[in-house]
Structure formats: structure tokens, C-alpha cells
Amino acid sequence: MELRVLRYFLSVAANKSVSKAAKQLHIIQPTLSRQIQELEEELGVSLLIRDHHRIRLSPKGEVGGGVSSSISRSAF
């Protein structure tokens, strides 16, 4: 797991949108979506609940968001 991908996840969680997060991160949306999916596969959990153009954190995503935020702050 890379810090970059944790930052991606935090941005998606904060923006509640992959498209908005991609713009903020200056990457294209398909790349961001793929990175989040790979993170979910690596962790073996769903971090996001995707409903018709809406994204919200799953219960495990809420926990992961707190942990990711702490890791991201300590790394920089």
C-alpha cells in the first residue's frame, strides 16, 4: 500500500465524488477509480458504497478513513 493511494482514498472520501477528487488530484477519473478498486482488493474490504453517481463511505471505509488520515499526517 502506498501513501499516494491513501491520499487518493481520502480525497474521494472528502469530496464524496471520484470525479471531483480526480480534478483535485490532477489525475484522470479512470485511473483514480482503478487505484481505489485495487486498494479495496488489497485490503479485502469495500471502502466505498457506490450508488447511482453518489459515493459514500462503507462502515469499513469510515474506519479506514480515520486510520488513513492519521498515517498521512504522520508521514508528512
Side-chain angles (χ1 to χ4, degrees), residues 10-29:
L10 291 173
S11 183
V12 171
N15 285 290
K16 297 183 180 165
S17 166
V18 176
S19 298
K20 289 178 184 177
K23 285 181 185 179
Q24 179 184 24
L25 295 164
H26 306 289
I27 60 174
I28 60 174
Q29 184 270 330

Side-chain angles (χ1 to χ4, degrees), residues 4-44:
R4 170 182 51 83
V5 179
L6 291 178
R7 280 191 11 252
Y8 289 176
F9 168 67
L10 291 173
S11 183
V12 171
N15 285 290
K16 297 183 180 165
S17 166
V18 176
S19 298
K20 289 178 184 177
K23 285 181 185 179
Q24 179 184 24
L25 295 164
H26 306 289
I27 60 174
I28 60 174
Q29 184 270 330
T31 299
L32 179 55
S33 292
R34 187 175 58 249
Q35 292 290 317
I36 298 299
Q37 287 173 344
E38 289 175 3
L39 176 61
E40 290 176 319
E41 289 172 12
E42 182 178 346
L43 296 174

Side-chain angles (χ1 to χ4, degrees), residues 1 8 13 26 30-32 35 44 49 56-57 59-61 73:
M1 180 182 322
Y8 289 176
H26 306 289
T31 299
L32 179 55
Q35 292 290 317
I49 299 170
R56 55 194 167 98
L57 292 175
K60 293 194 179 190
R73 278 194 305 264

